[in-house]
Amino acid sequence: MTTASIASPDLLEKTPKAPLGRLLRSELRWVLRRPRTLAAFGVLALVPIGLGVLMSMLDIGGTPVVGGPPMLASLLGNGMVLPLAAMSMAMPLLLPMVISMTAADAIAGESSHGTLRGLLIAPIGRTRLVVVKTVGVAAVSAIAVAVLAVLGITAGVVFTGTTEFTSISGTALSFGEGAGRVGLAAAWVWLQMFAVAAIALALSSLTDHPLVVLAVMMGTLIVFAVLGGIADLSWLHPMLLTTGWMSLIDVIRDPMETAALTEGAARALCYIVIGLSATVARMATKDS
């Protein structure tokens, strides 16, 4: 068989592609078994546990949390608020850092280690490769948020000794209703973090250095937060991903206010479409 026949388009088209399910399983095993990923989950687990300890210490003397945010101030004797407070505290910095690190390793990390070229010439398909990498980052995002939510509920029940949930409006809700609110909040936070992941993946496809992706992504989010705090730039706020992140507190109002949450979800979806489209476009021409 000649070299020309080996490289012919007809034969390349007939080359069987690896099953998508096997690719996804391999990617998930690789991502979730990395020590840095496990270490990141461990750090995230400290957030709800630390809040639970703080809540129990303050509750000993019946000391209110003076001057703190409303969600933190409502922690005393209200353990179901703890997972929401944990997610709210991790959203500005800790969660985006974990997600950006994972997205940076997904493509830029592979490129820096010289393994991306093999993936690009393998019978996978570049769009399928982006799908596999996206699923891996999305899984890490989901587990990261789940760690905060599940451990938050557990710590809240343990440290308060009750499953009662009182909304920030003063309404008593059942454990099931409280858990539902926490689940809704977790889904909303995951969507915001998936938007961060989509943009980080696009950046990751442009460089061979994972630290560049992490630095640019975190710097961008910090700039967004600063711009979001300038009232004269109110016309720009609807375009900033971080706008509305603090509206997570609306989940524990009764009745629940959904306007800001819906707007934030729509904004995150726009960033997801832009980020993943840019990643697919770049990977279509990437050769190393």
Side-chain angles (χ1 to χ4, degrees):
M1 183 179 293
T2 64
T3 304
S5 64
I6 293 176
S8 64
D10 292 339
L11 288 180
L12 290 176
E13 289 178 359
K14 295 178 181 179
T15 302
K17 293 184 178 180
L20 183 59
R22 189 176 70 186
L23 294 173
L24 292 175
R25 288 193 297 271
S26 176
E27 179 70 12
L28 290 175
R29 282 197 301 268
W30 178 71
V31 171
L32 298 179
R33 289 180 179 179
R34 283 185 303 184
R36 71 182 67 183
T37 303
L38 299 177
F41 292 156
V43 172
L44 287 170
L46 295 177
V47 177
I49 295 174
L51 279 176
V53 172
L54 174 63
M55 179 177 62
S56 63
M57 291 174 61
L58 292 173
D59 196 39
I60 291 175
T63 305
V65 185
V66 179
M71 190 180 295
L72 187 58
S74 63
L75 276 177
L76 294 181
N78 193 9
M80 290 299 289
V81 179
L82 195 148
L84 301 176
M87 288 186 282
S88 181
M89 292 180 65
M91 275 187 72
L93 183 63
L94 192 54
L95 273 175
M97 185 179 297
V98 172
I99 304 309
S100 298
M101 177 189 70
T102 305
D105 284 337
I107 299 178
E110 294 267 21
S111 183
S112 66
H113 288 94
T115 54
L116 183 62
R117 183 183 293 273
L119 291 174
L120 292 175
I121 64 177
I124 297 176
R126 299 197 173 198
T127 301
R128 280 156 56 94
L129 178 60
V130 173
V131 171
V132 170
K133 294 298 182 182
T134 301
V135 170
V137 179
V140 172
S141 305
I143 294 174
V145 175
V147 167
L148 294 171
V150 174
L151 284 183
I153 293 176
T154 304
V157 172
V158 169
F159 285 106
T160 62
T162 178
T163 59
E164 294 180 358
F165 172 56
T166 304
S167 70
I168 200 172
S169 305
T171 307
L173 302 176
S174 66
F175 178 81
E177 291 174 319
R181 298 285 184 100
V182 173
L184 178 61
W188 189 84
V189 172
W190 174 82
L191 186 63
Q192 303 301 314
M193 292 304 104
F194 189 34
V196 172
I199 300 301
L201 279 173
L203 293 173
S204 186
S205 67
L206 297 173
T207 181
D208 298 338
H209 305 286
L211 287 179
V212 172
V213 178
L214 183 60
V216 171
M217 197 67 230
M218 297 309 300
T220 300
L221 292 178
I222 291 172
V223 171
F224 279 8
V226 172
L227 294 177
I230 302 176
D232 291 340
L233 296 178
S234 58
W235 57 271
L236 182 63
H237 294 173
M239 292 177 280
L240 304 178
L241 178 59
T242 55
T243 299
W245 276 9
M246 292 301 102
S247 63
L248 183 63
I249 194 174
D250 291 343
V251 173
I252 57 175
R253 300 186 190 276
D254 191 36
M256 184 169 60
E257 298 179 7
T258 59
L261 294 172
T262 302
E263 181 181 348
R267 185 182 302 110
L269 288 173
C270 291
Y271 271 89
I272 291 170
V273 171
I274 293 171
L276 294 184
S277 298
T279 304
V280 171
R282 177 67 182 104
M283 292 298 291
T285 59
K286 195 174 180 68
D287 57 1
S288 63

